[in-house]
Amino acid sequence: MTKVLMVLTSHDQLGDTGRKTGFWLEEFAAPYYRFRDAGWDVTLASPKGGRPPLDPKSNEPDFQTDQTRRFEADADAKAQLGETLRLDSVSVDDFDTVFYPGGHGPVWDLAEDENSIKLIERTVAAGKPIALVCHAPGALRHVVTSDGKPLVAGRQVTGFTNGEEEFMGLTKVVPFLVEDELLAKGAQFDKVGNFEPFVVTDGQLVTGQNPASSGPAAVRLISLFDAR
């Protein structure tokens, strides 16, 4: 059975706006059920462990999907989400692949978290695929290869775009813009229209642009294993 580690944010404050943030529900639920339906074993982790904060906006009616409604009716899945492992307690050796859902939270905590940085570096060094969607590719900003170069340098990637952040009105709130940061690290940043599904694969690195890309990114990750 393929074992996937899903890493969620523990950050719940949207800068100094007084508003809450966290992980985006669709970006968790859509991949979670793609993996479960494929027969994969799913483990959840977050920097602080326990229940990660949900961005309340992501569960508003306009943003609900079949997968988020499936999650809301799934007592076992909700119980599992309430008991995520602490990120510093997990080992890459125990998993075949890693998936990072987004939401705004990751640009505050996972992007700077030493355990997350090491997890990604060791996953890549072990030749295991990894996928990150929406704001989660921002967690790559400090990740380097064995020769000390930025992991994304020269790679094709995507993530939440400047245009999408501007649409959300949060350009001046987030600590950095995912698109700008990845470009600054030498990545080739690809994108499509705002909030359209889009996934980029470069070797073992899979990135998705936005919430609508989270399910397709999980499908792409699964296909990498099916092609073996």
Side-chain angles (χ1 to χ4, degrees):
M1 181 182 292
T2 301
K3 296 182 178 180
V4 58
L5 176 68
M6 296 185 72
V7 180
L8 297 113
T9 182
S10 291
H11 185 85
D12 67 353
Q13 297 295 318
L14 193 60
D16 58 4
T17 64
R19 293 153 55 190
K20 294 292 188 180
T21 191
F23 72 93
W24 196 261
L25 185 56
E26 180 183 5
E27 296 176 40
F28 165 72
Y32 179 84
Y33 287 112
R34 297 298 198 288
F35 298 142
R36 290 284 300 274
D37 292 346
W40 286 20
D41 180 68
V42 182
T43 298
L44 309 179
S46 61
K48 294 181 180 179
R51 181 172 296 278
L54 170 68
D55 187 319
K57 192 173 184 65
S58 71
N59 204 21
E60 292 178 355
D62 286 349
F63 299 108
Q64 291 175 358
T65 67
D66 288 345
Q67 300 302 331
T68 65
R69 286 186 285 269
R70 180 178 175 183
F71 171 76
E72 288 298 328
D74 188 340
D76 290 340
K78 293 172 80 170
Q80 185 181 11
L81 183 65
E83 299 177 347
T84 69
L85 302 176
R86 281 180 58 99
L87 194 54
D88 60 7
S89 73
V90 301
S91 170
V92 170
D93 296 339
D94 296 331
F95 302 97
D96 301 299
T97 185
V98 180
F99 189 99
Y100 277 64
H104 279 87
V107 295
W108 274 278
D109 66 349
L110 292 173
E112 309 299 330
D113 188 279
E114 287 297 327
N115 294 304
S116 176
I117 294 166
K118 291 176 182 177
L119 176 75
I120 297 171
E121 289 175 347
R122 290 169 181 169
T123 298
V124 173
K128 298 177 179 181
I130 183 168
L132 310 93
V133 297
C134 199
H135 285 85
L140 299 171
R141 71 184 310 211
H142 297 308
V143 176
V144 297
T145 60
S146 58
D147 58 4
K149 296 179 180 178
L151 174 66
V152 299
R155 286 181 176 264
Q156 289 183 290
V157 299
T158 191
F160 206 63
T161 68
N162 291 353
E164 288 167 330
E165 202 69 84
E166 183 177 0
F167 181 89
M168 298 296 292
L170 296 173
T171 299
K172 303 298 185 181
V173 174
V174 292
F176 63 89
L177 296 172
V178 173
E179 178 178 348
D180 283 354
E181 184 67 16
L182 295 178
L183 285 169
K185 298 297 183 182
Q188 177 180 324
F189 191 93
D190 299 327
K191 58 184 177 180
V192 295
N194 286 357
F195 305 106
E196 295 178 14
F198 184 59
V199 178
V200 172
T201 304
D202 188 316
Q204 73 225 52
L205 178 62
V206 177
T207 48
Q209 181 173 318
N210 46 39
S213 309
S214 56
V219 171
R220 186 73 58 86
L221 193 61
I222 293 168
S223 72
L224 290 177
F225 282 87
D226 291 344
R228 291 184 172 185

